[in-house]
Amino acid sequence: MRYKLSLLLFTFLTISTFAQENSLENTAIKVTDSIQETESITLFEKGKTYELGGITVTGLQKFSEQAVKVFSGLKVGQKIKLPGDKLSSAIKKLYKQKQFSNVDAYITKIDGGIAYLEFDVVELPKLNKVTIQGVKKGKAKELQKANDLTKGVMVTDNLLVTSENYIRKKYQEKGFLNTKVTVDTKKDTSDINTLDMLVHIDKGEKVKIKNIFIEGNDAVSDKKLRKVMKNTKKAVLGRFWKKSKYIEDDFKQDLQSIIDKYSEKGHRDARILNDSISWNDDNSINVHIGLEEGKKYYFGGISYLGNTVYTDEQLDRLLRIDKGQVYNSKVLKERVSGNGKPDSEDIGSLYQNSGYLFSQINSVETRVENDSIYVEVRIHEDEPAMIRKVTVNGNDRTNDHVAYRQLRTRPGYLYSKEQIIRSIRELGQLGFFDPETISPDLKTNFNDKTVDVDYTVTEKGASQIELQGGYGGGSFIGTVGLSFNNFSMRNIFNKKAYKPLPMGDGQTLSLRLQKSRFYTTSSFSFTEPWLGGKKPQSLTFSIYQSKQFRYNPATRAVDKNQRLNIIGASIGLGKRLKWPDDYFSLSQTISLQRYDLKDYPIATFSFSTGISNNLAYAINLGRKSAGPNPVFPKNGSDFVIGAKLTLPYSLFNKKDYSTISDQDKYKWLEYYKLSFKGKWYTPLPGKFVLMSNFEAGFLGSYSNKVGDSPFERYFVGGDGLANFQLDGRETIGLRGYENSRISSIDGGTIYNKFQLEVRYPVTLKPSASIYLLGFLEAGNSYDGFDNFNPFELKRSAGLGVRIFMPAFGLLGIDFAHGFDPLPGTNVKSGWQTHFIIGQQF
């Protein structure tokens, strides 16, 4: 016989031991946790250490004995205490395999100091086939996968219960409140110890909420209370965006939302007395809520305790709560501890932004008198914390100095939560790192009042390649563009740095070539964002050239003897400003273009052969605080005020422009341009973001005798993407209309544009950023102030999607409806489709 060591509870009560001189193989003593049944006397000493003489396994059906021995971790010949930790551990290991429903251990033989063990196991059955009835085949596969009901999985009571509950809850959340699910098993005769599973689902009919009855409310109307219930809505004809269904967990959240609403109204003692549902004959339900509003309270007074850095008056200005104001615990909490947003204005942030990392601030209700609540804001300021060390991890391609120069947190600086948030934004704006995964890790050192800041970043594709091809106007048009946005010019001659190109210094190098039968354009540009490496001053240099030949669209003939050549270059300097704040920047550019015409008529010229030059100076003042993700900004703004002007030659060259030819008049172009572009990003409830945009431009002349420049004009309409540009034109997108069709054939000298765009992010993962958008747009192009009317606008609306992937860049499609006719027509533009295509690597 054998000793049974039942170790599930791992507790052994007193075990009487009986000495016997001989080693007996056929004795019979059964030992349990608390019971000893003695059939004969055998030699066993509780707590004694034995040598393990052998292991046997019984109860096996599909497993091998050797496998169980290996899983147990026990080896013949090792020392083992009985009972003891090693045996307990062996049984635990066998259970952890999730292959057995029961494991018992027995001593089968004691031979002096040698013990022999036997494991009696009960194997769990394995799942063979699953049949799900009551739903479509595709849905059945989804449910089977979600519950991990795959062939070979061990069938446990827990698996059966959780599968049943999951399926029932899944359909109840879809509105099938009466869903019934049964899970049955039967033995599979084709294999040993296997089961077939049959799942039957009876969804029943969808159950909608017919009425929501609220009792006990006087201060807040039924309508307002139902509005705060975001998840539980009664059925309303035509409301497709929010279905009417009863989900218990969501309903509990809505009940809490009702209490929160009352708390905001001063009823801090409001409570839900009861809630229930009742059924109607049409299979709909009514939701009943009974509540007690309680008394309405007001702020009796607010005092401060422990503040030495800031006065009571300074804290009052930040708290913005006056005596007699309706008591609102939510507002009080947000203005003391913050609302979770980066730009939160609260007392906690005030201290955190001033170095007081270890400060603790709490609001406490000190007393209640009648309907007045007195609050004390208790402040433990502690000492300011200094930043001891700053590190950046994960920048495998980007050099350290490029990342570190963006940081607003430096060793020796006072700790500032605001500057950490700003540093995250600046790293994201580089475009080299995934802005959604930038995370700072703060390691505080309370004893010496210091903190270490570690920024973890994830590199993403920063360089772009543009490959486009198409056929239009009887000619194939091909485009190749390369833009290396994290280039390293200093390693251009370092062979080891080519992986595949020298990268990591944050410079931008761009090349672009576009060619067809009747035109060719090419350009090169280089930007150093930190000229000299010490200050955020940028240097940009570019050169470009284009050739266009005379093309006859009727015959599709190209005459290369009639051509327009343009060659140009520009150099610019940019600087980040410190005033009014360091979001501002100032850029200045000098550009020169040379237009060489040979028998090439242009509508705004009276000559077809000659040379025209465009020497211009441009200055732009901008402020960019949008972010933190440059692909999907959630807050902040981005605006620029700009001017571009040439010398006023007509004011000092003493030429009589009424008598000279156009060739002399336009030998040196003269004009000035003024522009404004502004975008504001406003977070909306949920994940929605509102982008508001306004922009306008004006092209003017110094002299009426010279008139408006034939170049540098505005072309409004379409997707806003510029192909080849021969005359310095600005292409302004206005969806819902054909490209450039809103402007006259020569282009406008004034334009304005208004835009509202609501965006919703589907995903902002590094592998792909996808967001949906809906927009309203209005704008127009005008030929001079005589025709300018800011209220005469071309309007449109539509929907679109944007997809940004490191492998392909930005892809987009918009469906827009133009509500107004194009110039020269009386038929509204109607539906237009616009594409955005690019590639990135």
Side-chain angles (χ1 to χ4, degrees):
M1 299 300 291
R2 57 192 181 181
Y3 294 104
K4 178 181 180 182
L5 303 178
S6 181
L7 302 176
L8 293 179
L9 299 177
F10 306 109
T11 58
F12 288 80
L13 302 180
T14 303
I15 302 176
S16 300
T17 57
F18 298 87
Q20 182 173 333
E21 293 181 359
N22 299 321
S23 173
L24 301 177
E25 296 184 7
N26 296 315
T27 58
I29 294 181
K30 182 179 181 182
V31 181
T32 64
D33 295 335
S34 58
I35 301 174
Q36 172 187 289
E37 298 177 2
T38 305
E39 296 179 1
S40 63
I41 301 175
T42 186
L43 183 64
F44 173 68
E45 296 182 32
K46 174 191 172 186
K48 181 179 178 180
T49 299
Y50 293 89
E51 178 184 336
L52 186 57
I55 302 173
T56 57
V57 183
T58 60
L60 294 173
Q61 298 189 58
K62 301 188 77 172
F63 269 83
S64 67
E65 185 176 50
Q66 183 61 29
V68 175
K69 292 178 181 180
V70 172
F71 289 155
S72 73
L74 299 177
K75 295 181 180 179
V76 174
Q78 76 177 87
K79 299 296 183 180
I80 183 169
K81 184 178 180 181
L82 298 176
D85 293 340
K86 289 183 179 179
L87 184 58
S88 300
S89 176
I91 295 176
K92 285 182 180 179
K93 288 178 181 178
L94 292 176
Y95 274 116
K96 283 183 178 179
Q97 300 304 314
K98 298 181 179 180
Q99 307 287 336
F100 309 106
S101 61
N102 190 61
V103 177
D104 288 325
Y106 295 90
I107 297 176
T108 58
K109 179 180 178 182
I110 297 291
D111 188 0
I114 301 174
Y116 294 84
L117 294 181
E118 176 184 291
F119 288 106
D120 185 21
V121 300
V122 178
E123 291 185 21
L124 285 168
K126 290 186 176 181
L127 185 63
N128 178 46
K129 184 175 67 174
V130 178
T131 303
I132 300 180
Q133 299 176 340
V135 295
K136 293 182 179 179
K137 187 176 181 180
K139 180 58 68 175
K141 288 183 177 180
E142 289 181 19
L143 294 173
Q144 187 174 344
K145 183 178 180 180
N147 288 278
D148 195 25
L149 300 177
T150 56
K151 186 174 182 178
V153 71
M154 296 300 172
V155 180
T156 65
D157 290 340
N158 182 63
L159 177 68
L160 300 177
V161 173
T162 55
S163 298
E164 180 180 336
N165 291 340
Y166 173 85
I167 295 172
R168 182 185 299 107
K169 185 177 180 181
K170 188 78 173 176
Y171 281 99
Q172 286 178 343
E173 289 178 351
K174 293 182 178 181
F176 297 95
L177 198 58
N178 293 322
T179 299
K180 296 178 181 178
V181 180
T182 57
V183 180
D184 298 317
T185 59
K186 66 177 182 178
K187 188 173 182 180
D188 172 42
T189 57
S190 64
D191 200 356
I192 300 173
N193 199 30
T194 58
L195 296 176
D196 291 335
M197 181 183 291
L198 174 64
V199 181
H200 181 75
I201 303 171
D202 181 9
K203 297 187 298 184
E205 296 181 3
K206 271 193 174 183
V207 177
K208 295 184 178 182
I209 302 172
K210 189 172 185 178
N211 295 295
I212 299 178
F213 297 112
I214 303 174
E215 297 179 356
N217 57 310
D218 295 318
V220 185
S221 67
D222 288 8
K223 183 178 180 181
K224 289 183 178 180
L225 291 179
R226 285 196 294 263
K227 187 176 181 179
V228 302
M229 298 173 67
K230 301 299 183 182
N231 305 305
T232 310
K233 300 288 186 181
K234 69 177 185 178
V236 175
L237 184 65
R239 187 181 62 206
F240 59 88
W241 59 90
K242 188 67 179 179
K243 300 296 184 182
S244 172
K245 52 189 176 182
Y246 178 84
I247 302 172
E248 186 172 357
D249 291 343
D250 292 346
F251 177 61
K252 297 300 181 185
Q253 293 180 15
D254 287 336
L255 292 179
Q256 184 58 48
S257 296
I258 291 176
I259 298 301
D260 292 342
K261 183 66 175 179
Y262 270 101
S263 179
E264 293 174 16
K265 296 289 186 180
H267 297 266
R268 71 158 194 172
D269 298 331
R271 61 194 181 105
I272 302 296
L273 297 177
N274 54 72
D275 63 87
S276 61
I277 62 172
S278 61
W279 289 87
N280 300 309
D281 295 337
D282 58 359
N283 198 43
S284 65
I285 62 172
N286 301 317
V287 176
H288 302 268
I289 302 171
L291 57 86
E292 181 179 79
E293 294 181 329
K295 186 189 294 185
K296 186 173 184 177
Y297 292 92
Y298 301 86
F299 282 103
I302 297 178
S303 59
Y304 302 94
L305 178 65
N307 55 307
T308 62
V309 179
Y310 298 101
T311 65
D312 290 2
E313 291 75 17
Q314 288 175 310
L315 297 180
D316 277 338
R317 286 196 292 269
L318 195 63
L319 198 62
R320 305 185 305 280
I321 296 176
D322 299 322
K323 182 178 180 180
Q325 189 173 324
V326 173
Y327 186 81
N328 188 329
S329 59
K330 179 182 177 183
V331 170
L332 177 64
K333 182 179 178 180
E334 288 179 351
R335 294 181 184 175
V336 170
S337 305
N339 56 15
K341 296 181 180 179
D343 57 349
S344 175
E345 295 184 359
D346 58 273
I347 296 175
S349 295
L350 178 66
Y351 275 92
Q352 290 280 314
N353 293 336
S354 302
Y356 292 89
L357 171 63
F358 302 105
S359 62
Q360 298 179 16
I361 304 171
N362 298 293
S363 60
V364 179
E365 297 179 1
T366 56
R367 68 182 190 273
V368 179
E369 293 182 1
N370 298 321
D371 61 353
S372 297
I373 299 176
Y374 292 81
V375 176
E376 184 176 73
V377 179
R378 297 175 180 175
I379 303 172
H380 174 66
E381 294 177 338
D382 213 302
E383 297 177 20
M386 303 293 291
I387 297 175
R388 187 182 70 170
K389 185 171 66 173
V390 178
T391 55
V392 178
N393 292 313
N395 54 317
D396 301 325
R397 292 192 300 269
T398 303
N399 294 324
D400 285 345
H401 72 274
V402 175
Y404 280 98
R405 69 193 184 192
Q406 301 299 124
L407 301 181
R408 303 305 176 93
T409 51
R410 305 287 177 88
Y413 283 19
L414 275 176
Y415 167 80
S416 171
K417 185 180 79 170
E418 181 181 34
Q419 293 304 328
I420 287 179
I421 294 171
R422 179 68 185 276
S423 297
I424 294 172
R425 178 194 176 276
E426 295 300 323
L427 288 171
Q429 290 294 309
L430 281 174
F432 311 149
F433 311 120
D434 175 28
E436 299 298 320
T437 61
I438 300 174
S439 59
D441 181 26
L442 304 182
K443 297 178 181 178
T444 57
N445 310 291
F446 183 79
N447 292 333
D448 59 3
K449 305 304 180 186
T450 61
V451 59
D452 298 337
V453 185
D454 178 40
Y455 297 92
T456 300
V457 299
T458 304
E459 294 266 12
K460 69 174 187 176
S463 298
Q464 296 180 342
I465 180 171
E466 179 186 8
L467 297 173
Q468 293 184 4
Y471 186 84
S475 172
F476 177 81
I477 303 172
T479 303
V480 177
L482 300 172
S483 181
F484 307 106
N485 294 325
N486 196 3
F487 194 69
S488 177
M489 184 63 75
R490 65 187 174 94
N491 288 317
I492 193 74
F493 299 111
N494 183 1
K495 293 182 180 179
K496 295 181 180 180
Y498 281 76
K499 300 178 181 180
L501 290 169
M503 307 292 282
D505 279 347
Q507 299 162 342
T508 300
L509 180 69
S510 298
L511 300 164
R512 193 172 189 269
L513 173 66
Q514 189 172 57
K515 187 175 179 61
S516 73
R517 287 179 57 217
F518 50 88
Y519 73 85
T520 301
T521 64
S522 58
S523 64
F524 166 84
S525 68
F526 173 78
T527 299
E528 166 56 70
W530 282 65
L531 185 61
K534 295 183 178 180
K535 294 183 179 181
Q537 299 179 140
S538 64
L539 169 68
T540 301
F541 171 74
S542 66
I543 57 175
Y544 42 91
Q545 182 183 27
S546 68
K547 292 183 179 180
Q548 176 152 344
F549 304 106
R550 192 67 177 170
Y551 174 68
N552 188 330
T555 62
R556 296 186 177 179
V558 177
D559 186 353
K560 294 189 176 183
N561 291 320
Q562 296 178 282
R563 49 104 180 117
L564 168 62
N565 290 347
I566 302 176
I567 186 170
S570 67
I571 185 168
L573 292 173
K575 182 179 181 180
R576 183 188 297 165
L577 303 179
K578 295 182 179 180
W579 185 89
D581 61 38
D582 58 4
Y583 286 110
F584 279 86
S585 63
L586 180 70
S587 64
Q588 303 176 76
T589 304
I590 295 177
S591 61
L592 175 63
Q593 290 176 307
R594 182 178 177 86
Y595 302 89
D596 184 2
L597 295 84
K598 180 182 178 182
D599 197 17
Y600 194 94
I602 294 181
T604 52
F605 284 180
S606 62
F607 67 94
S608 59
T609 300
I611 293 175
S612 183
N613 301 286
N614 184 2
L615 176 63
Y617 165 76
I619 181 170
N620 292 285
L621 175 66
R623 186 180 189 275
K624 187 173 184 179
S625 63
N629 189 335
V631 175
F632 190 84
K634 299 177 182 177
N635 51 59
S637 61
D638 184 2
F639 72 82
V640 60
I641 300 172
K644 184 177 182 181
L645 58 150
T646 66
L647 291 172
Y649 302 105
S650 62
L651 300 183
F652 56 77
N653 62 13
K654 298 181 180 180
K655 289 184 179 181
D656 184 359
Y657 282 85
S658 63
T659 60
I660 64 175
S661 65
D662 275 4
Q663 185 171 353
D664 285 338
K665 180 190 297 185
Y666 297 123
K667 185 174 183 179
W668 288 96
L669 296 176
E670 65 171 63
Y671 60 87
Y672 63 91
K673 294 179 72 174
L674 304 175
S675 63
F676 173 85
K677 296 180 180 179
K679 293 183 179 180
W680 292 264
Y681 299 90
T682 307
L684 301 176
K687 297 181 180 180
F688 290 95
V689 174
L690 173 66
M691 189 278 288
S692 308
N693 175 45
F694 169 71
E695 55 186 278
F698 170 68
L699 173 65
S701 63
Y702 298 111
S703 171
N704 292 331
K705 294 180 180 180
V706 178
D708 296 322
S709 170
F711 296 145
E712 301 287 336
R713 298 198 172 202
Y714 304 109
F715 289 80
V716 180
D719 52 31
L721 299 178
N723 290 318
F724 71 99
Q725 296 183 4
L726 302 174
D727 49 12
R729 69 179 61 187
E730 288 191 42
T731 304
I732 313 299
L734 188 61
R735 291 165 287 189
Y737 300 89
E738 296 179 23
N739 288 355
S740 303
R741 283 295 309 278
I742 292 177
S743 301
S744 61
I745 190 171
D746 298 326
T749 59
I750 302 174
Y751 90 93
N752 57 3
K753 178 183 174 181
F754 305 88
Q755 181 182 2
L756 292 175
E757 188 169 282
V758 176
R759 301 174 176 181
Y760 180 82
V762 178
T763 177
L764 296 176
K765 294 181 179 179
S767 57
S769 295
I770 305 173
Y771 65 88
L772 307 176
L773 57 91
F775 59 87
L776 298 172
E777 289 185 344
N780 209 342
S781 173
Y782 312 92
D783 295 330
F785 271 115
D786 292 340
N787 299 310
F788 177 66
N789 183 348
F791 303 105
E792 184 182 333
L793 302 172
K794 304 297 182 183
R795 303 158 301 164
S796 66
L799 301 171
V801 62
R802 295 290 183 272
I803 304 173
F804 182 87
M805 293 183 290
F808 301 99
L810 185 65
L811 308 176
I813 183 171
D814 294 322
F815 302 96
H817 185 82
F819 297 107
D820 299 294
L822 292 168
T825 69
N826 54 12
V827 179
K828 69 177 183 178
S829 178
W831 286 102
Q832 302 284 337
T833 303
H834 306 285
F835 295 94
I836 296 175
I837 302 174
Q839 286 186 309
Q840 183 176 34
F841 68 95

